[in-house]
Amino acid sequence: MYGNDNWINSYLDAILDAGKGAAAAGAAARGRGGGGGDRPSLLLRERGHFSPARYFVEEVITGYDETDLYKTWLRANAMRSPQEKNSRLENMTWRIWNLARKKKEFEKEEANRLSKRRLETEKPRNDATAEMSEDLFEGVKGEDAGDPSVAYCDSTTGNTPRISSFDKLYIVLISLHGLIRGENMELGRDSDTGGQVKYVVELAKALSSCPGVYRVDLLTRQILAPNFDRGYGEPDEMLASTSFKNFKCERGENSGAHIIRIPFGPKDKHLAKENIWPFIQEFVDGALGHIVRMSKTIGEETGSVCPVWPAVIHGHYASAGVAAALLSGALNVPMVFTGHFLGKDKLEGLLKQGRQTREQINVTYKIMRRIEAEELSLDASEIVIASTMQEIEEQWNLYDGFEVMLARKLRALVKRGANCYGRYMPRMVIIPPGVEFGQLIHDFDIYGDEDNPSPASEDPSIWFEIMRFFTNPRKPMILAIARPYAEKNIATLVKAFGECHPLRELANLTLIMGNREAISKMNKISAAVLTSVLTLIDEYDLYGQVAYPKHHKHSEVPDIYRLAARTKGAFVNVAYFEQFGVTLIEAAMHGLPVIATKHGAPVEIHQVLENGLLVDPHDQHAIADALYKMLSEKQFWSRCRDNGLKNIHQFSWPEHCKNYLSRILTLGPRHPAFACKEDQKVPVKCRKHIFVIAVDSVNKEDLIQIIRNSVEATRTGTMSGSTGFVLSTSLTMAELQSVIVRTGMLPTDFDAFICNSGSDIYYPSQSSDVPSNSRVTFALDHNYRSHIEYRWGGEGLRKYLVKWASSVVERRGRTEKQIIFEDSEHSSTYCLAFRVVNPNHLPPLKELQKLMRIQSLRCHALYNHGATRLSVIPIHASRSQALRYLSIRWGIELPDAVVIVGETGDSDYEELFGGLHKTVILKGGFNTPANRIHTVRRYPLQDVVALDSSNIIAIEGFSTGDIRSAMQQQLGIPTQ
């Protein structure tokens, strides 16, 4: 503090000059909203109304919670000792100064980052547009390609597309986080159990009620943790169907909708969505087994010769998007994705607040893992469902894998049947969420006219729980339903209500903020928001005017809407940003006009319903004015109510399902290659276990010895003859043949060879009358190729990569030397190989992946062979996916597979850890060359795989005894 005495003293003088009168006036101003509603200003100091604490919080460090600073100010003024008062004021001064400095630093960093991002993104996209103008638009320039009227997405506006005839559809939905059950949903119990949980359950029920849909499975996580209802641990819960009167087709017999709970992750622990990431591959393996079994069951039930595979796999939220992408690739069925709340949009919002650095945000929210998952979902999806146009243009447009203008041009080419040379973007479809109409008010007059009540019925108990808060329960009710999160902006709503005396005299306020036992037991974020709200209620003395019940059931929510409608109240949602806001639709359905944020989906909802007013969520006076206008002008209230009820049908579940199924039926046919039993290839009989040797980045001598020892470890005891072997590598089949010869083993000692980093599978075969090893042939699995060819760029991708490789140079003074060259010798139809001359100057893979996505080229890039080779393969190709393919084709459960890896590996090495299979890590004991493999990750390894999993073990060395001991003792597989 030395050297700053003059600054501190002058600052304190400026504060203390306001005197006791200013402090009292400042406190009074807070109680009544700062007088007439003008924002505090230094000019107010001369009028005796300046509150330093409030001024600096609102004007200097806007976006921070001023509660603690204000308490410090009050305590300082309560101090009798001038020394104590000065000490507290000095502390407050430094805190404000540090917060202001921190916020400015964040803003500067974010501005620099955004500027850099624009430069990084604009050039590749401009290049892509230029290339498309040259290569793709011959003959169509000036026509559809550049016409902004050519849509890049499908909207439900206008006539609903007619559903073609279909039958026996099997639809798979995936939503991994939250507490999901069919009845009495615990919405608001935690941060993950909210609107998405309600949406996916109702979607499953609605789809299963549609004609032609045979079964809908909603896959989620099985929860066996203590303090959670046993129902969350039930493997299969059948959902009650929804009856739609406006479906003209009669519904035939079907299997209905089911919640299928797949066990993955710690069995005795409930996981927040941020902690699910390391266990996703485990879920995928479990889900894969369920889908295969169910497809066969449906085929038998419906009399089909072949299994009935899913018509679509639909992921909800980023984590489920990764799972859906992997399942879509393993089964070769179409993928659909709904983001719900996108990571980049959340990141941008958090950075603008200035409270946390990018690194801190990533630690808290695993935000980079989430963003990469959303990019992967764009790569793998055929359709992306959005709620609004704003979600597409302002949120998805932030991603490398989607850009509005490029999407429009590609759509124009597809429309004309032109060759896009491997470039592809998923089709964006706008389908707003639906609501159930079965809970409309029928038992009393919605206007609450006591002179003409409907037939009497007992009032719902939740009404009493709310009305007991009010001194005058007959006043119109302002209703807000939102979980206690800062972004929901509940505190501003309370301030708006508390500081507007005419509004307080006119109405009551009801806050439904989830369910809680005690604030002390809530998570820190929710507890802080709730504490702030209760503090404001006390500060403005709103007792008797505000209700905030601790508990409510999900089934009671319609009754809460009905109570607000009966009092001629209004619904309010002033979140800083609202992704969609199903509550706005539900409120309209129950005859409630709405006051909603002007940021996000409510703008488009308002355009359809015309049942309320939009406000700036940061302007509490605008919020108060809108509420007062709505409740005081009865004709305006009635018009908004009637408009909402008249237009609400556009948000019904039947309408949603018709649009949904219409889009699903336009997807191109994609089916598993092992569709029927007669198509399946079975390896040597009596296989109980499969050992996959996938050791990378070792010299060939060590690799040869590892192969020999692994096979020898199973040659005795119960495993002899019951274990099959697969070699999984980035080598070509020709390279692998030379390795096999050097092992002294026969190719037929192995059941399959996964080559070219998972882009090819070969099987050895030998004629019975030709015993010579030299006459063994290798059969390529063309069915596997049909699985991975989805959106493969082929020649167009190769041309771009050659051009890119020429730009990667090593600079020495003024000279430049190219370091990456096309490697035709080691390339194949679905693997483009490039030779790396100097691995020390390789760019990170994430940069190449970003460029591919910006160019709308969907593929996987990886470095292998100690970073001396670059391989680019299809988006659905990988060594881990090849193993899943073989497990289905051969009918071997993944828990009966063992994957042997080294301490390091190619850049797809980490994918070999996760899942239900066992993994053995060979540590030490062999020569590992310098490994400069670059990762594509922007997040830590623990966000990819749970290294403490019981399925993963590490052993020192790779002798026959070491491997046998690992199998016997630690993996539970007997070898004696």
Side-chain angles (χ1 to χ4, degrees), residues 840-906:
N840 294 323
H841 293 272
L842 278 177
L845 268 180
K846 57 189 177 185
E847 291 185 7
L848 178 56
Q849 194 71 57
K850 179 185 178 77
L851 283 172
M852 295 297 99
R853 284 170 172 159
I854 291 173
Q855 291 279 339
S856 299
L857 294 167
R858 313 296 174 176
C859 56
H860 275 159
L862 53 133
Y863 291 134
N864 45 51
H865 295 269
T868 61
R869 188 182 296 176
L870 164 68
S871 297
V872 179
I873 59 179
I875 193 68
H876 285 315
S878 72
R879 289 188 286 172
S880 58
Q881 285 289 78
L883 175 57
R884 292 189 175 102
Y885 170 88
L886 290 175
S887 74
I888 301 172
R889 194 167 186 83
W890 291 344
I892 294 177
E893 298 292 332
L894 282 166
D896 294 326
V898 180
V899 178
I900 302 176
V901 300
E903 275 191 282
T904 60
D906 298 345

Side-chain angles (χ1 to χ4, degrees), residues 774-791:
S774 61
R775 298 300 180 88
V776 173
T777 60
F778 296 89
L780 177 64
D781 190 333
H782 293 281
N783 287 330
Y784 178 67
R785 282 193 165 185
S786 72
H787 272 226
I788 66 170
E789 67 181 359
Y790 174 76
R791 304 304 177 192

Side-chain angles (χ1 to χ4, degrees), residues 158-180:
N159 295 329
T160 302
R162 189 178 70 85
I163 300 179
S164 304
S165 59
F166 58 92
D167 194 16
K168 302 175 185 176
L169 286 185
Y170 175 31
I171 296 174
V172 174
L173 311 177
I174 305 175
S175 184
L176 299 182
H177 64 264
L179 303 172
I180 299 180

Side-chain angles (χ1 to χ4, degrees), residues 718-835:
T718 57
M719 297 193 69
S720 180
S722 67
T723 303
F725 285 90
V726 175
L727 293 183
S728 180
T729 176
S730 58
L731 299 173
T732 65
M733 191 64 242
E735 291 174 305
L736 196 53
Q737 277 182 271
S738 67
V739 172
I740 297 169
V741 170
R742 292 178 62 183
T743 64
M745 302 173 64
L746 297 175
T748 50
D749 289 332
F750 301 90
D751 288 335
F753 305 97
I754 299 172
C755 303
N756 296 320
S757 299
S759 60
D760 282 316
I761 297 178
Y762 287 88
Y763 307 101
S765 62
Q766 183 178 28
S767 176
S768 59
D769 57 348
V770 184
S772 174
N773 184 31
S774 61
R775 298 300 180 88
V776 173
T777 60
F778 296 89
L780 177 64
D781 190 333
H782 293 281
N783 287 330
Y784 178 67
R785 282 193 165 185
S786 72
H787 272 226
I788 66 170
E789 67 181 359
Y790 174 76
R791 304 304 177 192
W792 177 237
E795 182 62 17
L797 174 60
R798 190 195 69 81
K799 285 183 177 179
Y800 181 81
L801 287 170
V802 170
K803 180 180 178 181
W804 168 80
S806 67
S807 69
V808 181
V809 297
E810 174 189 354
R811 290 183 173 84
R812 293 183 179 179
R814 295 184 178 181
T815 63
E816 295 182 346
K817 184 179 179 181
Q818 185 175 340
I819 63 171
I820 301 179
F821 299 89
E822 185 178 9
D823 185 357
S824 301
E825 179 185 354
H826 296 106
S827 294
S828 66
T829 305
Y830 293 101
C831 178
L832 301 176
F834 290 80
R835 177 171 50 90

Side-chain angles (χ1 to χ4, degrees), residues 196-249:
Q196 180 179 327
V197 169
K198 184 177 182 343
Y199 170 81
V200 294
V201 170
E202 292 187 355
L203 175 62
K205 292 163 62 176
L207 285 173
S208 71
S209 300
C210 296
V213 176
Y214 186 82
R215 181 181 172 105
V216 178
D217 280 346
L218 170 56
L219 307 187
T220 189
R221 181 170 183 256
Q222 185 184 50
I223 301 172
L224 300 172
N227 303 322
F228 288 88
D229 188 88
R230 291 183 179 180
Y232 297 120
E234 289 295 324
D236 187 338
E237 176 187 347
M238 187 169 184
L239 297 174
S241 63
T242 302
S243 177
F244 295 152
K245 294 181 179 179
N246 51 340
F247 268 128
K248 295 181 180 180
C249 301

Side-chain angles (χ1 to χ4, degrees), residues 394-412:
E394 297 183 22
Q395 295 181 55
W396 278 119
N397 209 43
L398 295 172
Y399 287 77
D400 299 330
F402 180 79
E403 200 270 330
V404 169
M405 290 303 298
L406 200 53
R408 180 176 288 126
K409 290 182 177 182
L410 287 170
R411 192 74 184 271

